[in-house]
Amino acid sequence: MLAKAAIRTVAYSAWTVLIGALTLSCGPTQAQEGAKPPVAADSAALARAQAAMETPHPGKAVYEQSCAACHAHPEATRAPALDALKAMRYQTILYALNEGKMKVQASALSATQKAAVIDYLVGREATSDEWLTTAMCSPERRKVNLDAPATVTGFGFDPKNHRHLTAAQAGLRTADMRNLELAWAMGFPKATQMRSQPAIVGTTLFLPVADAQRAFAIDISGPPCVQWVYSHETPLRTGAAFGQLPNGRKVVVFSDVASKVHMLDAATGQLLWLQAVGLYPLSLTTGTPAIHGDRVYVPISQYEISLGGNDNHECCRTHGAVTALDAITGKPIWTAHTMEEAKPVRDRGDGKMIYGPSGAPIWNSPAIDAKRGVLYVGTGEATSEPAAPTTDAILAIDLKDGRIRWSFQATENDIFLTGCARNRNGLNCPKSSVHRDVDFGASVIVAQRADGSDVILAGQKSGTVWALDPDRNGKLVWRQDFGEGSPLGGIHWGMAYDGTRVFAPINRPYASAAKADGSQKPGLNAVRVDTGAVEWTYTATPDCSGKRAELVKACATNIGFSGAPTVIDGAVVSGSLDGFLHAFDAKTGELLYKFDTARGFDTFNGVTASGGAIDNATIVAANGMLFVSSGYGLFGQMPGNVLLAFKPKAKQAPATTSP
C-alpha cells in the first residue's frame, strides 16, 4: 500500500503535465481518465516519494488560492461545498473549468494547475459504470412499451403545471400514504445533484442524471432494471418531458448545462436531434422544456448573476428568453426575449462601462394555456441598471409568434449580483436597488376557481403567492404573503394545485434568512384558490438527533421546504432540505408519513448510495409507487445520489387457529 502511494506521488509532476494537456481538449475519455502513471523502478525514487508524502498535495494550494473563497461559503455564493466537489466525477469538474460555469474564474489557471486541483478534489481514478452490466433488463423486458397513457409528461405533470396525480394515475390512494415502506433504492456513481425530475409512461421511468451525463429508461413494473441508456459528453441539467410528435413518434426531451436541447426516441433512447438555444456564452437552461403540438418551448436562463459582481467582469449583457423549436427537426421558430439588447449605460468609475438592461432569466417550465393561445413563465432579477419592467415578472407569450401579450411585474428595481451581497461597493454593483433577488422560480399554474373562471397562480422567492386574471391582462386578483423571502428563501422551485388549494412551500435554508419577528416560517402552506385564505400551515422544526447532527449540514437551521411538492389523490407530498420526505392530508394538513432520506442505502444495482437534501423537483408517482430523488449538493446543502421507490406495505392475512 505504501509502495503504491509512493509510486503515484513520485510520478505526479510528469502526470500532471499529461493531464494538463488533456484539459485543453474536449475532455478525457474514460480510459484516459482512469489511466495510471508510470512505475518508478528504483529505491531512490521510492525514498523521494516517501518524503514527498509528507508535503501537502499541490492541488490544495490551487484550491485554497483560487476556489475556496466561493466554495467555503456556499450558502452565500451558491457554489458546491468542498464535500460536494469531492463527490463529483472527474469529467464534471473538468467541464466546469474548461467549458462551464467556472470557465471565467479558471481562465487564469494553467493546464497544470487545473489538473492539480482536479486531482486534489477527486483523484484520477475512473468512475466505474460496471454496474450497468448487471442492472440492464433481460431481453424480454428491454423493450419500452409506450402504449399506456403517460402519467408524468413534464415538470407540472400536465400542460397547466398542476403537479396533481389522481389515485388512478398514481396507483396510490390517500390512505396508502400512512402505510408506505421503502421498496428499493438505485444509486448513481459520483452524482451529487439529483435535480432532474423523471417522466413516466406506463411502466417506464425516464430519468436524466445530470452528473452522470446520462439519461436512463428504467422498467418499474417489477424488480427494477435499465431498458436503455443515453450518454453525452456534456453534463445534463433539466427534468425530462415526454410527448408525441405529429408524425406519431413518441419522444423524451431535456436540456444540458451548455444550453443544448436533446430530443430522444422514447422507445430506444436514440438521439433524434440536438439544438443549441443559448443566446450568450453565459446562457443556461434550467427549466424543463414543454412539448405542445408540433413545437418544443424552451426557457432560457443565465448565470451572469454569479460573475457580475467581479470587478474584472464587463457587466452585464445577458438576458432570458423562451425559444420555440420545431419538434420534428429542432430548428428554431421564434425567440421571445425578456428585454432589448444591453447598451452602455454609464461609466462605472474606472473608465469602463456598465451595460444594461440585463437579467430577467427564466428558470421555470412554461405553463401552456391552449384556450388563450399563450404560455406563461416567470422571470428573475435584473443584473444591471436600468431594471427592465419584465424583471421579477409574469409574462404571457403568444404560442404562435412569441409576442409578449402582457406582463405583470411584482417587484421593481430588483438589481442583484451574487458578489454584491458580500461587497456592495464593487464596481458593477448597483447604485440603487431593492437588492432582493426575488425571482419567480416556481412554474406558473393555470388553475380554476369555483365559479369556473381561470386564475394564474405564481409563487415568488419574496414569499408571496400571486393570483392573476388571465382575461384582464394579468390584473391582480389576490396575494398572500409568507414573510419577506430571500435569495434562496420564500417560494423557490414550485407549487402544486389540487383543484381547490394551491400548496406553497416556504424555504428558509439558513437562520440569517429568517426575520427577527419570525414571520417567515419554513414549511408548507395550503392556500384557498378562490380567496387566497390560508387553510393550514405546517411549520418545519429541526431534527438533529442521533447521527443527523453529523450528517446534515446546519441541521438546526437548514430546514426549508425548497423543492416543488406533488399532490397524489388527497395527499400532498413534499421534501425538505434536511432530507425528510413528508406526506400530508391535503384538506387538513395532518402529517400522514415522514421518512428520513439523509442516510446511506443498500441499492439494487450495487452502487454505494446516500440521500441528502430534497430540492428542485423530484417527487413523482406511478404504478402504485412513489419515487423520490434525494441529494442536492448546492448552496451548502447535503449532496446525495439515490433514487428511492416507496410502496404501501402489504396487508398481512389475519391469523388463523388450528381446528
Side-chain angles (χ1 to χ4, degrees), residues 397-649:
I397 300 175
D398 192 287
L399 287 170
K400 291 183 179 180
D401 58 22
R403 287 182 299 114
I404 297 179
R405 295 255 200 102
W406 57 258
S407 65
F408 170 87
Q409 186 176 41
T411 306
E412 297 180 354
N413 199 35
D414 184 15
I415 308 171
F416 188 94
L417 295 167
T418 304
C420 296
R422 304 187 303 276
N423 176 23
R424 296 292 291 273
N425 295 320
L427 292 175
N428 294 328
C429 296
K431 299 296 184 183
S432 175
S433 168
V434 298
H435 205 260
R436 297 183 65 191
D437 187 23
V438 285
D439 312 53
F440 281 99
S443 292
V444 174
I445 296 172
V446 183
Q448 194 171 58
R449 290 177 284 188
D451 63 4
S453 63
D454 289 340
V455 64
I456 304 302
L457 303 173
Q460 191 181 2
K461 289 198 302 183
S462 62
T464 300
V465 181
W466 302 87
L468 309 177
D469 189 336
D471 294 317
R472 301 178 70 184
N473 293 327
K475 183 178 180 180
L476 180 64
V477 178
W478 55 256
R479 63 182 287 180
Q480 181 59 255
D481 299 298
F482 297 99
E484 282 192 343
S486 77
L488 295 177
I491 301 166
H492 203 189
W493 284 106
M495 304 188 298
Y497 163 70
D498 71 351
T500 302
R501 305 160 197 86
V502 61
F503 300 95
I506 298 298
N507 189 26
R508 193 194 81 188
Y510 303 96
S512 59
K515 285 187 66 178
D517 63 6
S519 63
Q520 181 169 297
K521 297 179 179 179
L524 189 66
N525 302 275
V527 181
R528 192 82 178 185
V529 169
D530 284 351
T531 63
V534 179
E535 291 195 347
W536 56 260
T537 294
Y538 173 84
T539 301
T541 55
D543 183 347
C544 298
S545 60
K547 293 184 178 180
R548 287 182 56 81
E550 301 175 13
L551 291 174
V552 182
K553 300 178 183 178
C555 63
T557 56
N558 199 8
I559 56 175
F561 279 47
S562 172
T566 294
V567 175
I568 300 171
D569 192 23
V572 57
V573 185
S574 190
S576 56
L577 296 187
D578 57 354
F580 280 109
L581 176 70
H582 309 75
F584 305 92
D585 186 289
K587 292 182 180 179
T588 67
E590 177 191 357
L591 182 62
L592 305 177
Y593 181 73
K594 187 174 181 180
F595 183 90
D596 184 5
T597 72
R599 59 182 180 86
F601 293 93
D602 294 327
T603 61
F604 81 83
N605 60 332
V607 173
T608 300
S610 60
I614 302 176
D615 207 351
N616 205 308
T618 66
I619 301 171
V620 294
N623 294 281
M625 303 187 80
L626 175 70
F627 300 96
V628 181
S629 292
S630 180
Y632 197 76
L634 290 179
F635 317 133
Q637 296 162 195
M638 186 176 177
N641 65 331
V642 69
L643 171 67
L644 304 173
F646 298 85
K647 66 177 182 179
K649 295 178 182 177

Side-chain angles (χ1 to χ4, degrees), residues 155-201:
F155 172 87
F157 306 171
D158 59 39
K160 296 182 179 181
N161 283 337
H162 289 177
R163 297 189 61 82
H164 180 195
L165 299 173
T166 65
Q169 288 174 311
L172 294 169
R173 299 168 301 160
T174 306
D176 292 327
M177 296 299 168
R178 298 182 183 273
N179 196 37
L180 293 176
E181 65 179 357
L182 184 64
W184 50 261
M186 183 177 184
F188 300 92
K190 293 286 188 178
T192 62
Q193 300 175 39
M194 299 298 292
R195 63 176 298 129
S196 303
Q197 180 176 284
I200 303 179
V201 183

Side-chain angles (χ1 to χ4, degrees), residues 58-273:
K60 183 179 181 181
V62 180
Y63 172 82
E64 291 177 347
Q65 181 176 354
S66 303
C67 311
C70 287
H71 292 283
H73 306 283
E75 67 282 1
T77 62
R78 312 184 188 190
L82 180 59
D83 63 336
L85 290 174
K86 288 190 171 184
M88 292 180 179
R89 290 178 177 238
Y90 176 101
Q91 288 167 306
T92 301
I93 300 178
L94 179 67
Y95 180 87
L97 293 176
N98 284 346
E99 303 294 336
K101 283 188 173 183
M102 295 297 103
K103 182 178 180 179
V104 174
Q105 292 91 328
S107 61
L109 298 180
S110 68
T112 300
Q113 287 174 315
K114 291 179 184 179
V117 75
I118 296 174
D119 184 71
Y120 166 65
L121 292 172
V122 298
R124 296 186 290 272
E125 294 295 328
T127 301
S128 174
D129 288 314
E130 292 181 1
W131 66 272
L132 278 169
T133 303
T134 56
M136 295 299 294
C137 296
S138 60
E140 58 271 19
R141 290 183 64 190
R142 200 164 295 181
K143 183 178 179 180
V144 178
N145 184 356
L146 300 173
D147 295 333
T151 304
V152 177
T153 59
F155 172 87
F157 306 171
D158 59 39
K160 296 182 179 181
N161 283 337
H162 289 177
R163 297 189 61 82
H164 180 195
L165 299 173
T166 65
Q169 288 174 311
L172 294 169
R173 299 168 301 160
T174 306
D176 292 327
M177 296 299 168
R178 298 182 183 273
N179 196 37
L180 293 176
E181 65 179 357
L182 184 64
W184 50 261
M186 183 177 184
F188 300 92
K190 293 286 188 178
T192 62
Q193 300 175 39
M194 299 298 292
R195 63 176 298 129
S196 303
Q197 180 176 284
I200 303 179
V201 183
T203 59
T204 298
L205 182 147
F206 301 97
L207 177 67
V209 179
D211 299 351
Q213 303 170 208
R214 290 176 170 86
F216 302 88
I218 303 168
D219 187 340
I220 55 175
S221 62
C225 58
V226 177
Q227 295 173 295
W228 56 250
V229 182
Y230 168 78
S231 301
H232 192 68
E233 67 269 15
T234 304
L236 307 180
R237 184 162 175 85
T238 76
F242 172 85
Q244 181 169 322
L245 302 183
N247 61 11
R249 178 171 248 164
K250 296 177 180 180
V251 296
V252 174
V253 66
F254 48 82
S255 301
D256 64 27
V257 298
S259 299
K260 297 190 295 287
V261 182
H262 304 239
M263 175 74 82
L264 309 184
D265 185 301
T268 65
Q270 175 192 356
L271 178 66
L272 301 179
W273 51 257

